[in-house]
């Protein structure tokens, strides 16, 4: 789209800061929404010229009264609605995905540019990141609502909270053929018979193709029999999950450097825990996997994984004094232990968290094979397998559900064994 190409070009040539996107992308408050368009933006505190001084202002409803900045309650309203669309309204998600990808790119770039300015500045009291776009979106916001927006899943509760931005937004436009057919008039006296004399062959040309959001019977049969739940269905697909992760990473970064503008880091990670721990295994794996954790800084990835793991692991497991990840901490606090319930799912989640921590340590700090490491790995795998054998009557699931969960557990066990064996083989090949 031409507008998106223009915005990308603007970001590349000028950047969000010098392009004054902080003001350009400001959502109207109830007090100002009725005046949007009548009052032009003034010079900002960043020292850049306002839209008022531009000779190319766009002065119409699309730019003001009916724009997303005026119609939406705030940025998080749009985020929640967009992610609801990723599950419920695929044809709208195609549009909102482009918008959200651009916005997240802009938020990241804006923060990075301001962080660079701060690093090069001698004035340690004035942090330009405090005037970043993401901080503006977080100011006065409810932390729990923000997290609910990022984790919006199309459920009835989520759909009721994050509603459409424009009225009848999800109503699909009529096809060209339908428009032409509606435009054909019937006027017998003027010998205009509309489409009455046309052979529409309606009985043979009925469109049996299901709408984009509806699976065919064959697809439904395959999906219902699928051994592993398809992560793209309940959470909007891989692209939606990546955007969710990038937004979570932004929140984490703000809480690290400007906790007074949002919320302290421990409180934020507690909110992460509330939303991530209950997720189905397939989505939990997608979010907690090492490839997904690369969207966070190393310290954040390690801390988030440990916060979730400590909520799942047996109470007998010793707690580390800090979130600093070392091989000794893994061997004593995490690797040998099972979950605090006999749920197969919880034990699989413990294994997935342990796997992620192992891979993070290997990639960023180095992992070394020792007998103590091997013993901790073997002990933990055996402990989780034993614990997961005992499924309580009240929590018993269908055979398919239990087998699916056990598959996740065994798959993680195999990858952990494989990783430790790889480390051992590499050390032996190097003569260590």
């Amino acid at each position: 789209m031409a507008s998106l190409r223009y915005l990308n070009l603007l970001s590349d040539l000028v950047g969000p800061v010098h392009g004054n996107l902080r003001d350009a992308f400001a959502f109207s408050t109830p007090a100002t929404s009725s005046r949007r368009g009548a009052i032009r933006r003034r010079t900002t505190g960043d020292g850049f010229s306002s839209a008022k001084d531009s000779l190319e202002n766009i002065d119409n409803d699309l730019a003001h009264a009916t724009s997303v900045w005026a119609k939406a309650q705030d940025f998080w309203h749009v985020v929640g609605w967009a992610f609801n669309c990723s599950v419920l309204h695929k044809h709208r998600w195609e549009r909102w995905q482009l918008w959200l990808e651009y916005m997240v790119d802009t938020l990241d770039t804006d923060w990075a540019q301001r962080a660079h300015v701060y690093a090069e500045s001698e004035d340690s009291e004035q942090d330009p990141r405090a005037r970043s776009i993401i901080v503006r979106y977080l100011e006065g916001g409810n932390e729990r609502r923000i997290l609910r927006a990022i984790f919006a899943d199309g459920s009835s509760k989520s759909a009721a909270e994050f509603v459409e931005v424009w009225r009848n937004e999800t109503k699909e436009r009529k096809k060209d053929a339908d428009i032409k057919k509606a435009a054909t008039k019937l006027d017998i006296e003027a010998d205009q018979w509309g489409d009455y004399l046309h052979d529409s062959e309606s009985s043979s040309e009925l469109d049996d193709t299901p709408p984009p959001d509806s699976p065919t019977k064959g697809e439904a049969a395959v999906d219902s029999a699928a051994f592993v739940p398809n992560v793209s269905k309940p959470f909007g697909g891989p692209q939606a999950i990546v955007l969710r992760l990038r937004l979570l990473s932004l929140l984490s970064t703000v809480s690290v450097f400007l906790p007074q503008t949002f919320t302290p880091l421990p409180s934020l990670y507690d909110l992460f825990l509330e939303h991530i721990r209950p997720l189905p295994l397939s989505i939990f794996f997608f979010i907690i996997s090492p490839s997904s954790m690369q969207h966070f800084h190393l310290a954040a990835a390690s801390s988030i994984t440990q916060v979730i793991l400590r909520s799942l692991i047996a109470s007998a497991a010793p707690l580390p004094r800090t979130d600093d990840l070392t091989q000794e901490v893994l061997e004593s606090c995490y690797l040998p232990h099972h979950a605090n319930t006999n749920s197969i799912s919880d034990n699989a989640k413990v294994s997935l968290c342990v796997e992620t921590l192992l891979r993070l340590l290997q990639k960023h700090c180095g992992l070394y094979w020792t007998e103590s490491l091997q013993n901790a790995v073997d002990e933990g795998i055996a402990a989780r397998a034993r614990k997961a054998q005992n499924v309580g009557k009240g929590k018993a699931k269908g055979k398919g559900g239990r087998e699916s969960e056990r598959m996740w557990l065994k798959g993680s066990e195999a990858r952990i064994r494989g990783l430790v064996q790889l480390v051992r083989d590499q050390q032996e090949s190097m003569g260590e």
Side-chain angles (χ1 to χ4, degrees):
M1 289 182 281
S3 58
L4 186 59
R5 288 196 297 271
Y6 168 77
L7 289 172
N8 285 325
L9 185 62
L10 179 66
S11 295
D12 292 340
L13 296 179
V14 183
V17 178
H18 291 280
N20 194 20
L21 297 188
R22 182 179 184 273
D23 275 3
F25 294 166
F27 287 83
S28 300
T29 63
T32 62
S33 60
S34 62
R35 296 183 287 119
R36 190 180 185 100
I39 300 177
R40 299 288 179 259
R41 299 183 178 95
R42 297 174 176 82
T43 302
T44 69
D46 295 315
F48 303 111
S49 298
S50 68
K52 180 179 180 180
D53 301 321
S54 174
L55 297 177
E56 299 180 357
N57 286 336
I58 300 175
D59 193 8
N60 59 41
D61 284 346
L62 292 177
H64 300 292
T66 61
S67 69
V68 64
W69 320 107
K71 300 298 290 185
Q73 180 181 347
D74 56 15
F75 176 69
W76 305 108
H77 170 197
V78 185
V79 168
W81 169 241
F83 285 138
N84 277 337
C85 287
S86 73
V87 179
L88 300 175
H89 310 290
K90 295 296 185 181
H91 63 288
R92 289 303 300 158
W93 171 239
E94 292 176 3
R95 303 294 180 180
W96 281 119
Q97 180 183 344
L98 296 174
W99 185 89
L100 198 53
E101 285 174 347
Y102 171 78
M103 288 300 300
V104 174
D105 286 343
T106 300
L107 295 177
D108 279 333
T109 304
D110 178 69
W111 177 273
Q113 289 181 350
R114 294 174 187 274
H116 178 73
V117 171
Y118 181 66
E120 298 293 325
S121 174
E122 297 180 358
D123 185 2
S124 60
E125 294 183 1
Q126 297 294 327
D127 191 339
R129 291 173 297 189
R131 291 188 57 79
S132 63
I133 303 174
I134 182 62
V135 167
R136 183 170 195 168
Y137 290 164
L138 292 172
E139 288 175 345
N142 179 287
E143 294 90 348
R144 290 186 177 277
R145 176 176 174 271
I146 290 171
L147 266 293
R148 289 197 300 271
I150 296 175
F151 284 92
D153 58 359
S155 64
S156 57
K157 185 177 180 180
S158 181
E161 182 173 14
F162 302 105
V163 299
E164 61 185 5
V165 175
W166 291 283
R167 184 180 179 185
N168 296 327
E169 181 184 332
T170 59
K171 187 176 181 180
E172 295 193 58
R173 297 176 61 184
K174 292 183 178 180
K175 297 179 181 179
D176 290 341
D178 294 334
I179 296 174
K180 291 179 180 178
K181 183 175 179 180
T184 305
K185 295 181 179 180
L186 176 64
D187 191 341
I188 299 176
E189 294 182 359
D191 201 31
Q192 293 179 1
W193 293 88
D195 61 350
Y196 276 77
L197 298 181
H198 293 274
D199 184 8
S200 62
E201 297 180 0
S202 57
S203 61
S204 61
E205 293 185 359
L206 287 176
D207 186 5
D208 290 327
T209 305
D213 296 348
S214 303
T216 62
K217 292 182 179 179
E219 290 172 337
V222 171
D223 290 340
S224 64
F227 199 61
V228 180
N230 186 350
V231 70
S232 67
K233 286 192 172 181
F235 232 49
Q239 293 82 4
I241 294 180
V242 167
L243 287 169
R244 297 175 197 267
L245 290 168
R246 291 179 63 190
L247 286 169
L248 292 176
S249 179
L250 264 172
L251 299 188
S252 175
T253 302
V254 173
S255 286
V256 168
F257 295 101
L258 300 172
Q260 71 279 5
T261 65
F262 182 43
T263 190
L265 200 59
S267 299
L268 179 65
Y269 288 169
D270 284 342
L271 291 175
F272 283 14
L273 173 63
E274 288 182 19
H275 288 272
I276 295 175
R277 175 177 169 170
L279 292 172
L281 267 171
S282 58
I283 306 175
F284 184 92
F285 168 75
F286 204 116
I287 288 180
I288 211 69
S289 68
S291 59
S292 295
M293 283 291 125
Q294 69 182 358
H295 294 288
F296 297 86
H297 295 293
L298 174 60
S302 173
S303 294
I304 293 168
T305 306
Q306 290 185 69
V307 166
I308 295 170
L309 179 54
R310 287 196 291 266
S311 75
L312 291 162
I313 208 163
S315 58
L319 291 176
R321 288 176 295 178
T322 68
D323 284 346
D324 293 337
L325 186 61
T326 65
Q327 187 162 323
E328 290 73 22
V329 167
L330 270 176
E331 291 180 11
S332 61
C333 300
Y334 299 133
L335 278 171
H337 303 286
H338 53 69
N340 52 21
T341 73
N342 55 18
S343 160
I344 302 174
S345 175
D346 283 350
N347 279 278
K349 289 178 179 180
V350 167
S351 186
L352 291 170
C353 289
V354 167
E355 179 187 346
T356 292
L357 292 177
L358 271 172
R359 292 188 180 275
L360 287 174
L361 188 65
Q362 180 208 24
K363 181 177 180 179
H364 297 282
C365 304
L367 188 65
Y368 300 93
W369 185 90
T370 61
E371 286 190 6
S372 61
L373 174 65
Q374 188 68 61
N375 291 337
V377 166
D378 293 340
E379 183 180 346
I381 289 175
R384 290 186 288 274
R386 286 194 304 271
K387 188 71 172 179
Q389 292 291 338
N390 302 316
V391 181
K393 294 181 180 180
K395 297 183 178 180
K397 297 183 179 180
K399 181 179 179 180
R402 290 197 300 270
E403 290 302 317
S404 175
E405 291 175 347
R406 199 171 296 282
M407 188 200 69
W408 284 105
L409 176 59
K410 290 183 177 180
S412 179
E413 291 171 352
R415 291 190 297 273
I416 290 173
R417 288 189 188 278
L419 175 61
V420 173
Q421 185 62 46
L422 175 64
V423 171
R424 183 177 188 178
D425 292 344
Q426 288 176 339
Q427 287 180 206
E428 290 179 349
S429 66
M430 296 175 65
E432 296 184 5

